[in-house]
Amino acid sequence: MIGIRRESGLMKKDGGGGVQSLRRSRIAAAIFVGILLGCVFAFFYPDGFFVSSPPIHHSVANSDSEVITSSCESSERINMLKSEFVAASEKNAELKRQIRELTEKLQLAEQGKDNAQKEVLVLGEQKKAGPFGTVKGLRTNPTVVPDESVNPRLAKILEKVAINRELIVTLANSNVKEMLEMWFTNIKRVGLPNYLVYALDEEIASLCESRNVPVYQRDPDEVKRETDKNFESVARTEGNHAVSGLKFRILREFLQLGYSVLLSDVDIIYLQNPFEHLYRDSDVESMTDGHNNMTAYGYNDVFDEPSMGWARYAHTMRIWVYNSGFFYIRPTIPSIELLDRVAGRLARENAWDQAVFNEELFFPSHPCYEGLHASRRTMDYYLFMNSKVLFKTVRKDAKLSQLKPVIVHVNYHPDKLPRMEAVVDYYVNGKKDALDPFPDGSQ
Protein backbone atom coordinates (compact mmCIF):
# COMPACT_ATOMS: atom_id res chain seq x y z
CA MET A 1 0.00 0.00 0.00
CA ILE A 2 2.72 2.27 1.00
CA GLY A 3 4.54 1.39 -2.18
CA ILE A 4 1.55 2.15 -4.21
CA ARG A 5 1.04 5.60 -2.66
CA ARG A 6 4.64 6.57 -3.29
CA GLU A 7 4.45 5.59 -6.91
CA SER A 8 1.28 7.39 -7.23
CA GLY A 9 2.81 10.50 -5.65
CA LEU A 10 5.72 10.34 -8.02
CA MET A 11 3.38 10.09 -10.95
CA LYS A 12 1.51 13.11 -9.72
CA LYS A 13 4.70 14.93 -9.33
CA ASP A 14 6.01 14.02 -12.76
CA GLY A 15 2.64 14.46 -14.40
CA GLY A 16 2.12 17.95 -12.91
CA GLY A 17 5.48 19.14 -14.22
CA GLY A 18 4.64 17.99 -17.69
CA VAL A 19 1.29 19.76 -17.60
CA GLN A 20 2.85 22.98 -16.49
CA SER A 21 5.48 22.68 -19.17
CA LEU A 22 2.82 22.08 -21.76
CA ARG A 23 0.82 25.07 -20.49
CA ARG A 24 3.86 27.32 -20.71
CA SER A 25 4.53 26.13 -24.23
CA ARG A 26 0.98 26.96 -25.25
CA ILE A 27 1.22 30.45 -23.74
CA ALA A 28 4.50 31.06 -25.47
CA ALA A 29 3.03 29.88 -28.74
CA ALA A 30 0.03 32.13 -28.26
CA ILE A 31 2.26 35.09 -27.53
CA PHE A 32 4.34 34.33 -30.57
CA VAL A 33 1.30 34.02 -32.77
CA GLY A 34 -0.06 37.26 -31.33
CA ILE A 35 3.19 39.05 -31.97
CA LEU A 36 3.32 37.65 -35.46
CA LEU A 37 -0.22 38.68 -36.21
CA GLY A 38 0.49 42.10 -34.72
CA CYS A 39 3.45 42.54 -37.03
CA VAL A 40 1.39 41.44 -40.02
CA PHE A 41 -1.47 43.84 -39.19
CA ALA A 42 0.99 46.61 -38.40
CA PHE A 43 2.56 46.11 -41.80
CA PHE A 44 -0.70 46.07 -43.78
CA TYR A 45 -2.67 48.52 -41.62
CA PRO A 46 -0.23 51.08 -40.24
CA ASP A 47 -3.08 53.52 -39.40
CA GLY A 48 -5.25 50.89 -37.81
CA PHE A 49 -8.70 49.67 -38.77
CA PHE A 50 -10.50 52.95 -37.80
CA VAL A 51 -8.77 56.14 -39.03
CA SER A 52 -9.68 59.34 -37.24
CA SER A 53 -8.05 62.73 -36.97
CA PRO A 54 -5.68 62.67 -34.10
CA PRO A 55 -6.35 65.24 -31.45
CA ILE A 56 -4.30 68.35 -31.79
CA HIS A 57 -2.52 69.52 -28.73
CA HIS A 58 -0.99 72.97 -28.81
CA SER A 59 1.09 74.47 -26.25
CA VAL A 60 0.53 78.11 -25.38
CA ALA A 61 3.81 79.06 -26.98
CA ASN A 62 3.00 77.25 -30.22
CA SER A 63 -0.46 78.85 -30.33
CA ASP A 64 0.92 82.37 -30.01
CA SER A 65 3.54 81.66 -32.65
CA GLU A 66 0.96 80.41 -35.12
CA VAL A 67 -1.32 83.46 -34.50
CA ILE A 68 1.57 85.81 -35.18
CA THR A 69 2.53 83.87 -38.29
CA SER A 70 -1.10 83.87 -39.53
CA SER A 71 -1.38 87.64 -38.90
CA CYS A 72 1.79 88.35 -40.88
CA GLU A 73 0.62 86.15 -43.73
CA SER A 74 -2.76 88.01 -43.78
CA SER A 75 -1.05 91.42 -43.90
CA GLU A 76 1.21 90.29 -46.71
CA ARG A 77 -1.80 88.87 -48.55
CA ILE A 78 -3.73 92.12 -48.14
CA ASN A 79 -0.77 94.15 -49.39
CA MET A 80 -0.41 91.81 -52.33
CA LEU A 81 -4.12 92.13 -53.14
CA LYS A 82 -3.87 95.93 -52.92
CA SER A 83 -0.93 95.90 -55.30
CA GLU A 84 -2.82 93.68 -57.70
CA PHE A 85 -5.86 95.99 -57.47
CA VAL A 86 -3.76 99.09 -58.19
CA ALA A 87 -2.10 97.34 -61.12
CA ALA A 88 -5.51 96.23 -62.45
CA SER A 89 -6.87 99.77 -62.07
CA GLU A 90 -3.92 101.24 -63.97
CA LYS A 91 -4.33 98.63 -66.68
CA ASN A 92 -8.05 99.38 -66.87
CA ALA A 93 -7.35 103.12 -67.21
CA GLU A 94 -4.83 102.40 -69.94
CA LEU A 95 -7.34 100.21 -71.77
CA LYS A 96 -9.96 102.96 -71.52
CA ARG A 97 -7.49 105.47 -72.93
CA GLN A 98 -6.66 103.14 -75.81
CA ILE A 99 -10.37 102.55 -76.48
CA ARG A 100 -10.95 106.31 -76.47
CA GLU A 101 -8.09 106.85 -78.91
CA LEU A 102 -9.34 104.07 -81.17
CA THR A 103 -12.85 105.57 -81.07
CA GLU A 104 -11.50 108.97 -82.07
CA LYS A 105 -9.46 107.43 -84.87
CA LEU A 106 -12.52 105.52 -86.03
CA GLN A 107 -14.57 108.71 -86.09
CA LEU A 108 -11.85 110.49 -88.06
CA ALA A 109 -11.69 107.57 -90.45
CA GLU A 110 -15.45 107.73 -90.91
CA GLN A 111 -15.27 111.45 -91.65
CA GLY A 112 -12.46 110.83 -94.09
CA LYS A 113 -14.44 108.40 -96.22
CA ASP A 114 -15.60 109.45 -99.61
CA ASN A 115 -19.06 111.02 -99.44
CA ALA A 116 -20.29 108.99 -102.38
CA GLN A 117 -19.55 105.78 -100.49
CA LYS A 118 -21.50 107.08 -97.51
CA GLU A 119 -24.45 107.85 -99.73
CA VAL A 120 -24.35 104.33 -101.15
CA LEU A 121 -24.34 102.85 -97.65
CA VAL A 122 -27.18 105.03 -96.43
CA LEU A 123 -29.36 105.34 -99.48
CA GLY A 124 -29.03 101.94 -101.08
CA GLU A 125 -26.92 99.44 -102.98
CA GLN A 126 -24.63 100.27 -105.85
CA LYS A 127 -26.39 100.49 -109.18
CA LYS A 128 -25.43 100.26 -112.81
CA ALA A 129 -25.39 103.39 -114.92
CA GLY A 130 -28.55 103.91 -116.94
CA PRO A 131 -28.90 104.87 -120.62
CA PHE A 132 -27.24 107.97 -122.01
CA GLY A 133 -28.80 111.18 -120.72
CA THR A 134 -30.63 109.51 -117.83
CA VAL A 135 -27.82 109.36 -115.26
CA LYS A 136 -28.03 111.76 -112.37
CA GLY A 137 -25.74 111.74 -109.35
CA LEU A 138 -26.81 112.15 -105.76
CA ARG A 139 -26.91 115.71 -104.48
CA THR A 140 -27.91 115.42 -100.83
CA ASN A 141 -25.57 114.08 -98.16
CA PRO A 142 -27.12 112.16 -95.23
CA THR A 143 -27.59 114.04 -91.98
CA VAL A 144 -25.65 113.19 -88.83
CA VAL A 145 -27.15 111.36 -85.86
CA PRO A 146 -28.27 114.03 -83.33
CA ASP A 147 -26.14 114.18 -80.18
CA GLU A 148 -27.99 116.00 -77.39
CA SER A 149 -25.11 115.50 -74.96
CA VAL A 150 -23.28 118.31 -76.79
CA ASN A 151 -25.53 120.92 -75.18
CA PRO A 152 -28.58 119.55 -73.32
CA ARG A 153 -29.91 123.01 -72.38
CA LEU A 154 -29.78 124.27 -75.96
CA ALA A 155 -31.34 121.00 -77.14
CA LYS A 156 -34.41 121.60 -74.95
CA ILE A 157 -34.81 125.13 -76.32
CA LEU A 158 -34.53 123.96 -79.92
CA GLU A 159 -37.18 121.29 -79.35
CA LYS A 160 -39.64 124.06 -78.54
CA VAL A 161 -38.53 126.61 -81.16
CA ALA A 162 -37.62 124.65 -84.29
CA ILE A 163 -40.13 123.48 -86.89
CA ASN A 164 -39.21 120.38 -88.91
CA ARG A 165 -35.82 120.57 -87.19
CA GLU A 166 -34.89 123.88 -88.79
CA LEU A 167 -34.79 127.48 -87.60
CA ILE A 168 -33.32 130.94 -88.17
CA VAL A 169 -30.40 131.87 -85.92
CA THR A 170 -28.68 135.20 -85.40
CA LEU A 171 -25.88 136.35 -83.11
CA ALA A 172 -26.08 139.70 -81.38
CA ASN A 173 -24.46 141.82 -78.70
CA SER A 174 -25.44 145.27 -77.45
CA ASN A 175 -23.50 146.97 -80.29
CA VAL A 176 -26.24 145.96 -82.76
CA LYS A 177 -29.23 146.39 -80.46
CA GLU A 178 -31.26 148.73 -82.72
CA MET A 179 -30.79 146.58 -85.82
CA LEU A 180 -31.67 143.47 -83.81
CA GLU A 181 -34.97 145.03 -82.73
CA MET A 182 -35.84 145.77 -86.36
CA TRP A 183 -34.72 142.26 -87.30
CA PHE A 184 -37.02 140.35 -84.94
CA THR A 185 -39.87 142.87 -85.38
CA ASN A 186 -40.06 142.03 -89.09
CA ILE A 187 -39.69 138.31 -88.45
CA LYS A 188 -42.70 138.51 -86.13
CA ARG A 189 -44.64 140.49 -88.73
CA VAL A 190 -44.05 137.75 -91.32
CA GLY A 191 -45.30 135.22 -88.77
CA LEU A 192 -42.17 133.12 -88.33
CA PRO A 193 -42.06 131.29 -84.97
CA ASN A 194 -38.91 129.24 -85.58
CA TYR A 195 -36.13 131.73 -84.92
CA LEU A 196 -33.62 132.21 -82.11
CA VAL A 197 -31.34 135.00 -80.93
CA TYR A 198 -27.99 133.81 -79.65
CA ALA A 199 -27.34 136.54 -77.07
CA LEU A 200 -23.70 137.41 -76.55
CA ASP A 201 -24.26 139.61 -73.51
CA GLU A 202 -26.79 140.16 -70.71
CA GLU A 203 -28.31 143.28 -72.25
CA ILE A 204 -29.40 141.44 -75.39
CA ALA A 205 -30.67 138.49 -73.36
CA SER A 206 -32.79 140.83 -71.20
CA LEU A 207 -34.10 142.67 -74.27
CA CYS A 208 -35.23 139.44 -75.92
CA GLU A 209 -36.88 138.14 -72.78
CA SER A 210 -38.78 141.40 -72.33
CA ARG A 211 -40.00 141.28 -75.95
CA ASN A 212 -40.94 137.59 -75.87
CA VAL A 213 -38.21 136.68 -78.36
CA PRO A 214 -36.68 133.17 -78.24
CA VAL A 215 -33.18 133.59 -76.86
CA TYR A 216 -30.24 131.52 -75.74
CA GLN A 217 -27.24 132.68 -73.73
CA ARG A 218 -24.38 130.58 -72.47
CA ASP A 219 -24.09 130.22 -68.71
CA PRO A 220 -20.99 131.83 -67.16
CA ASP A 221 -19.92 128.48 -65.72
CA GLU A 222 -19.88 127.01 -69.23
CA VAL A 223 -16.81 129.14 -69.98
CA LYS A 224 -14.00 126.86 -68.88
CA ARG A 225 -11.27 126.87 -71.47
CA GLU A 226 -9.00 129.77 -72.29
CA THR A 227 -10.22 129.78 -75.88
CA ASP A 228 -13.75 130.20 -74.60
CA LYS A 229 -12.65 133.18 -72.52
CA ASN A 230 -11.26 134.80 -75.65
CA PHE A 231 -14.48 133.87 -77.37
CA GLU A 232 -16.51 135.66 -74.69
CA SER A 233 -14.29 138.72 -74.86
CA VAL A 234 -14.88 139.11 -78.58
CA ALA A 235 -18.57 138.32 -78.25
CA ARG A 236 -19.18 141.03 -75.66
CA THR A 237 -16.99 143.86 -76.90
CA GLU A 238 -16.27 143.61 -80.64
CA GLY A 239 -18.19 144.97 -83.59
CA ASN A 240 -20.18 143.32 -86.35
CA HIS A 241 -17.32 141.79 -88.36
CA ALA A 242 -15.55 140.31 -85.33
CA VAL A 243 -18.80 138.84 -84.04
CA SER A 244 -19.53 137.47 -87.50
CA GLY A 245 -16.49 135.24 -87.24
CA LEU A 246 -17.85 133.57 -84.09
CA LYS A 247 -20.87 132.07 -85.80
CA PHE A 248 -18.90 129.22 -87.34
CA ARG A 249 -17.97 127.89 -83.92
CA ILE A 250 -21.46 128.46 -82.53
CA LEU A 251 -23.27 126.83 -85.46
CA ARG A 252 -21.42 123.57 -84.91
CA GLU A 253 -23.48 122.78 -81.81
CA PHE A 254 -26.74 123.32 -83.69
CA LEU A 255 -25.64 120.92 -86.41
CA GLN A 256 -24.43 118.33 -83.91
CA LEU A 257 -27.85 118.49 -82.27
CA GLY A 258 -29.33 117.59 -85.68
CA TYR A 259 -30.85 120.94 -86.72
CA SER A 260 -30.66 122.75 -90.04
CA VAL A 261 -29.90 126.43 -89.54
CA LEU A 262 -30.70 129.48 -91.64
CA LEU A 263 -27.89 131.70 -90.38
CA SER A 264 -28.83 135.38 -90.50
CA ASP A 265 -27.03 138.63 -89.80
CA VAL A 266 -29.09 141.32 -88.07
CA ASP A 267 -28.92 143.77 -91.02
CA ILE A 268 -31.60 141.80 -92.86
CA ILE A 269 -35.27 142.63 -93.42
CA TYR A 270 -37.65 139.67 -93.74
CA LEU A 271 -40.56 140.14 -96.14
CA GLN A 272 -41.64 136.51 -96.71
CA ASN A 273 -41.13 133.10 -95.14
CA PRO A 274 -37.68 131.98 -96.38
CA PHE A 275 -38.32 128.30 -95.60
CA GLU A 276 -40.88 128.23 -98.41
CA HIS A 277 -38.16 129.07 -100.94
CA LEU A 278 -35.38 126.66 -100.00
CA TYR A 279 -34.39 123.59 -102.04
CA ARG A 280 -32.63 121.65 -99.23
CA ASP A 281 -30.68 119.60 -101.76
CA SER A 282 -27.20 120.74 -100.76
CA ASP A 283 -25.00 120.98 -97.72
CA VAL A 284 -24.90 124.77 -98.03
CA GLU A 285 -27.48 126.99 -99.72
CA SER A 286 -26.30 130.61 -99.70
CA MET A 287 -27.24 134.02 -100.97
CA THR A 288 -24.75 135.63 -103.32
CA ASP A 289 -22.95 138.94 -103.47
CA GLY A 290 -23.45 138.81 -107.23
CA HIS A 291 -25.77 141.33 -108.89
CA ASN A 292 -26.72 139.59 -112.18
CA ASN A 293 -26.85 136.13 -113.71
CA MET A 294 -23.16 136.06 -114.60
CA THR A 295 -21.78 137.24 -111.30
CA ALA A 296 -24.27 135.29 -109.17
CA TYR A 297 -24.23 131.94 -110.98
CA GLY A 298 -20.81 131.90 -112.66
CA TYR A 299 -19.31 132.65 -116.05
CA ASN A 300 -16.38 131.93 -118.33
CA ASP A 301 -13.96 134.83 -117.98
CA VAL A 302 -11.22 135.14 -120.62
CA PHE A 303 -7.79 136.27 -119.45
CA ASP A 304 -5.71 137.95 -122.17
CA GLU A 305 -1.90 137.68 -122.12
CA PRO A 306 -0.55 139.01 -125.50
CA SER A 307 3.03 137.87 -124.85
CA MET A 308 1.82 134.26 -125.18
CA GLY A 309 1.03 134.80 -128.87
CA TRP A 310 -1.29 132.10 -130.19
CA ALA A 311 -2.14 131.02 -126.60
CA ARG A 312 -2.76 134.57 -125.38
CA TYR A 313 -6.37 133.82 -124.33
CA ALA A 314 -6.83 131.73 -121.18
CA HIS A 315 -10.35 130.82 -120.09
CA THR A 316 -11.21 131.01 -116.41
CA MET A 317 -14.33 130.16 -114.43
CA ARG A 318 -15.53 132.85 -112.07
CA ILE A 319 -18.32 133.36 -109.58
CA TRP A 320 -18.93 136.11 -107.07
CA VAL A 321 -18.63 135.03 -103.48
CA TYR A 322 -21.34 133.61 -101.27
CA ASN A 323 -22.48 135.90 -98.49
CA SER A 324 -21.50 134.46 -95.12
CA GLY A 325 -24.20 136.59 -93.44
CA PHE A 326 -27.11 134.59 -94.83
CA PHE A 327 -26.94 130.90 -95.68
CA TYR A 328 -28.83 127.69 -94.99
CA ILE A 329 -26.68 124.82 -93.71
CA ARG A 330 -27.76 121.23 -93.18
CA PRO A 331 -26.44 118.95 -90.38
CA THR A 332 -24.10 116.82 -92.49
CA ILE A 333 -20.48 115.73 -92.10
CA PRO A 334 -19.24 118.06 -94.91
CA SER A 335 -21.12 120.98 -93.32
CA ILE A 336 -19.53 120.39 -89.93
CA GLU A 337 -16.14 120.00 -91.57
CA LEU A 338 -16.69 123.35 -93.28
CA LEU A 339 -17.43 125.05 -89.95
CA ASP A 340 -14.37 123.43 -88.37
CA ARG A 341 -12.12 124.53 -91.21
CA VAL A 342 -13.33 128.13 -91.21
CA ALA A 343 -13.29 128.47 -87.41
CA GLY A 344 -9.82 126.92 -87.27
CA ARG A 345 -8.39 129.30 -89.85
CA LEU A 346 -10.00 132.35 -88.26
CA ALA A 347 -8.40 131.36 -84.94
CA ARG A 348 -4.97 131.15 -86.58
CA GLU A 349 -5.15 133.90 -89.20
CA ASN A 350 -6.08 137.55 -89.30
CA ALA A 351 -8.59 137.02 -92.10
CA TRP A 352 -12.08 138.06 -93.18
CA ASP A 353 -14.57 135.32 -92.35
CA GLN A 354 -16.44 135.64 -95.67
CA ALA A 355 -13.25 135.20 -97.70
CA VAL A 356 -12.26 132.11 -95.70
CA PHE A 357 -15.81 130.74 -95.94
CA ASN A 358 -15.70 130.89 -99.74
CA GLU A 359 -12.15 129.59 -100.07
CA GLU A 360 -12.99 126.49 -98.09
CA LEU A 361 -16.18 125.95 -100.08
CA PHE A 362 -14.68 126.39 -103.55
CA PHE A 363 -10.96 125.65 -103.59
CA PRO A 364 -10.42 122.20 -105.19
CA SER A 365 -8.04 119.52 -103.99
CA HIS A 366 -4.49 119.99 -105.20
CA PRO A 367 -0.97 118.99 -104.07
CA CYS A 368 -0.62 119.50 -100.30
CA TYR A 369 -4.30 120.42 -99.95
CA GLU A 370 -7.49 118.38 -99.73
CA GLY A 371 -10.55 120.30 -100.82
CA LEU A 372 -13.89 120.15 -99.05
CA HIS A 373 -16.38 117.73 -100.59
CA ALA A 374 -19.50 119.76 -99.84
CA SER A 375 -22.45 120.35 -102.16
CA ARG A 376 -23.64 123.95 -102.56
CA ARG A 377 -26.43 125.93 -104.14
CA THR A 378 -26.68 129.63 -104.98
CA MET A 379 -29.95 131.28 -103.95
CA ASP A 380 -32.06 133.31 -106.36
CA TYR A 381 -30.56 136.79 -106.05
CA TYR A 382 -33.92 138.46 -106.74
CA LEU A 383 -35.60 136.59 -103.90
CA PHE A 384 -32.67 136.67 -101.49
CA MET A 385 -31.56 140.15 -102.43
CA ASN A 386 -28.43 142.04 -101.46
CA SER A 387 -28.55 145.83 -101.19
CA LYS A 388 -26.47 146.35 -104.34
CA VAL A 389 -29.12 144.61 -106.42
CA LEU A 390 -31.87 146.64 -104.76
CA PHE A 391 -30.39 150.11 -104.90
CA LYS A 392 -28.47 149.84 -108.17
CA THR A 393 -30.92 147.82 -110.29
CA VAL A 394 -34.32 146.88 -108.87
CA ARG A 395 -35.58 150.26 -107.68
CA LYS A 396 -34.86 151.74 -111.14
CA ASP A 397 -36.64 149.02 -113.11
CA ALA A 398 -40.43 149.24 -113.37
CA LYS A 399 -40.93 145.48 -113.68
CA LEU A 400 -38.36 144.40 -111.11
CA SER A 401 -39.65 146.91 -108.60
CA GLN A 402 -42.96 145.04 -108.59
CA LEU A 403 -41.27 141.90 -107.28
CA LYS A 404 -41.35 141.25 -103.57
CA PRO A 405 -38.15 139.61 -102.32
CA VAL A 406 -38.03 137.14 -99.48
CA ILE A 407 -35.34 139.09 -97.66
CA VAL A 408 -33.21 142.16 -98.27
CA HIS A 409 -29.71 142.10 -96.85
CA VAL A 410 -28.16 145.55 -96.39
CA ASN A 411 -24.64 144.19 -96.79
CA TYR A 412 -23.20 146.60 -99.37
CA HIS A 413 -23.86 149.79 -97.40
CA PRO A 414 -22.54 151.06 -94.04
CA ASP A 415 -25.61 153.23 -93.28
CA LYS A 416 -27.54 150.08 -92.44
CA LEU A 417 -30.28 151.21 -90.06
CA PRO A 418 -31.78 154.03 -92.22
CA ARG A 419 -31.68 151.82 -95.32
CA MET A 420 -33.37 149.00 -93.40
CA GLU A 421 -36.12 151.42 -92.37
CA ALA A 422 -36.46 152.55 -96.00
CA VAL A 423 -36.81 148.93 -97.17
CA VAL A 424 -39.68 148.42 -94.70
CA ASP A 425 -41.36 151.62 -95.88
CA TYR A 426 -40.95 150.63 -99.53
CA TYR A 427 -42.13 147.00 -99.38
CA VAL A 428 -44.36 146.94 -96.31
CA ASN A 429 -45.80 150.45 -95.97
CA GLY A 430 -46.07 151.08 -99.73
CA LYS A 431 -44.00 154.27 -99.88
CA LYS A 432 -42.69 154.14 -103.43
CA ASP A 433 -40.25 156.99 -102.90
CA ALA A 434 -38.77 155.59 -99.71
CA LEU A 435 -35.59 154.40 -101.47
CA ASP A 436 -35.04 157.53 -103.54
CA PRO A 437 -32.91 159.58 -101.06
CA PHE A 438 -30.16 156.97 -101.02
CA PRO A 439 -27.29 156.77 -103.54
CA ASP A 440 -26.46 153.54 -105.33
CA GLY A 441 -23.32 153.06 -103.30
CA SER A 442 -21.94 154.48 -100.09
CA GLN A 443 -20.62 157.99 -99.66
Side-chain angles (χ1 to χ4, degrees):
M1 295 289 294
I2 295 171
I4 295 172
R5 288 190 188 104
R6 284 180 180 176
E7 187 174 344
S8 176
L10 289 172
M11 289 177 63
K12 285 180 182 179
K13 183 177 179 181
D14 293 341
V19 170
Q20 289 178 357
S21 175
L22 179 61
R23 187 178 298 167
R24 282 196 298 269
S25 298
R26 288 177 178 175
I27 292 172
I31 292 171
F32 175 77
V33 172
I35 293 172
L36 181 62
L37 290 174
C39 292
V40 172
F41 286 122
F43 178 79
F44 288 103
Y45 302 97
D47 295 328
F49 289 105
F50 304 101
V51 180
S52 61
S53 299
I56 301 174
H57 302 284
H58 296 285
S59 65
V60 175
N62 288 341
S63 178
D64 291 341
S65 175
E66 289 183 359
V67 169
I68 292 171
T69 303
S70 176
S71 177
C72 292
E73 290 179 353
S74 298
S75 298
E76 291 177 358
R77 180 62 177 168
I78 290 171
N79 291 334
M80 185 175 68
L81 289 174
K82 286 182 178 179
S83 300
E84 291 177 354
F85 178 76
V86 171
S89 299
E90 292 176 352
K91 187 174 182 180
N92 187 39
E94 178 65 18
L95 288 173
K96 286 183 178 179
R97 185 187 65 79
Q98 292 177 357
I99 291 172
R100 193 162 51 246
E101 290 180 354
L102 290 173
T103 302
E104 292 175 356
K105 289 180 180 179
L106 180 61
Q107 291 175 347
L108 291 174
E110 280 294 324
Q111 293 181 9
K113 283 184 178 180
D114 184 78
N115 289 333
Q117 292 178 348
K118 291 181 184 178
E119 290 169 353
V120 168
L121 291 173
V122 174
L123 301 177
E125 298 178 355
Q126 290 179 313
K127 299 179 180 179
K128 294 182 179 179
F132 179 82
T134 65
V135 177
K136 189 173 183 180
L138 297 173
R139 300 290 189 271
T140 308
N141 284 313
T143 57
V144 299
V145 177
D147 182 7
E148 294 188 359
S149 65
V150 171
N151 191 330
R153 189 165 67 89
L154 179 59
K156 291 181 180 179
I157 295 175
L158 296 182
E159 285 179 5
K160 298 177 181 178
V161 174
I163 297 177
N164 297 326
R165 301 192 71 82
E166 57 185 12
L167 73 161
I168 303 170
V169 175
T170 193
L171 281 66
N173 60 19
S174 54
N175 293 327
V176 295
K177 180 179 178 181
E178 291 182 335
M179 284 192 291
L180 176 65
E181 288 187 86
M182 185 169 291
W183 180 85
F184 63 64
T185 297
N186 281 276
I187 283 182
K188 288 182 176 182
R189 181 185 48 78
V190 174
L192 294 173
N194 53 331
Y195 70 100
L196 179 73
V197 175
Y198 196 110
L200 300 174
D201 57 38
E202 291 78 7
E203 184 177 353
I204 293 299
S206 299
L207 170 66
C208 292
E209 290 171 357
S210 65
R211 300 289 294 274
N212 197 27
V213 171
V215 63
Y216 171 80
Q217 183 184 19
R218 297 205 313 178
D219 290 330
D221 58 0
E222 292 178 13
V223 183
K224 297 179 180 178
R225 295 173 300 178
E226 183 64 27
T227 53
D228 287 329
K229 293 178 182 177
N230 295 334
F231 173 91
E232 288 295 312
S233 176
V234 172
R236 294 173 183 273
T237 61
E238 298 296 331
N240 192 42
H241 276 294
V243 170
S244 182
L246 299 178
K247 59 176 169 265
F248 299 99
R249 289 178 58 187
I250 290 173
L251 282 179
R252 194 185 204 280
E253 288 189 347
F254 288 81
L255 268 58
Q256 284 182 277
L257 292 172
Y259 290 88
S260 297
V261 175
L262 184 58
L263 189 280
S264 172
D265 282 352
V266 294
D267 56 346
I268 292 176
I269 297 296
Y270 286 79
L271 302 170
Q272 297 185 59
N273 184 346
F275 295 107
E276 296 177 356
H277 300 272
L278 297 174
Y279 286 79
R280 301 176 180 84
D281 63 348
S282 304
D283 297 305
V284 178
E285 196 167 340
S286 178
M287 73 171 296
T288 175
D289 274 359
H291 59 94
N292 55 28
N293 286 348
M294 288 178 57
T295 57
Y297 307 139
Y299 62 102
N300 182 3
D301 184 46
V302 180
F303 176 77
D304 184 9
E305 191 175 6
S307 63
M308 288 298 295
W310 175 81
R312 62 182 293 180
Y313 300 111
H315 291 257
T316 68
M317 299 305 300
R318 299 188 64 184
I319 183 173
W320 284 30
V321 296
Y322 282 177
N323 191 287
S324 63
F326 189 88
F327 59 87
Y328 179 81
I329 185 166
R330 297 176 59 250
T332 66
I333 291 297
S335 295
I336 295 175
E337 183 182 359
L338 169 66
L339 298 179
D340 288 351
R341 287 188 178 207
V342 176
R345 284 188 55 186
L346 292 176
R348 299 187 303 269
E349 306 171 14
N350 183 20
W352 182 28
D353 68 282
Q354 180 161 291
V356 175
F357 175 68
N358 279 271
E359 289 170 2
E360 294 299 334
L361 263 179
F362 286 96
F363 281 177
S365 298
H366 55 263
C368 301
Y369 177 78
E370 183 179 354
L372 180 71
H373 298 274
S375 56
R376 54 195 181 270
R377 169 181 281 274
T378 305
M379 293 177 173
D380 186 328
Y381 65 91
Y382 282 134
L383 293 179
F384 299 91
M385 191 181 298
N386 61 59
S387 56
K388 179 177 182 178
V389 173
L390 174 61
F391 286 95
K392 187 178 179 180
T393 305
V394 171
R395 67 171 176 170
K396 301 174 184 179
D397 188 291
K399 291 183 179 180
L400 292 177
S401 61
Q402 300 301 314
L403 297 175
K404 186 177 183 180
V406 176
I407 60 106
V408 174
H409 188 181
V410 186
N411 61 316
Y412 269 99
H413 302 88
D415 50 340
K416 296 181 180 298
L417 191 58
R419 288 186 186 251
M420 290 173 70
E421 293 171 344
V423 169
V424 174
D425 284 338
Y426 185 80
Y427 284 108
V428 178
N429 301 326
K431 295 182 179 180
K432 296 304 179 183
D433 59 347
L435 304 177
D436 295 345
F438 299 92
D440 289 356
S442 58
Q443 293 180 343

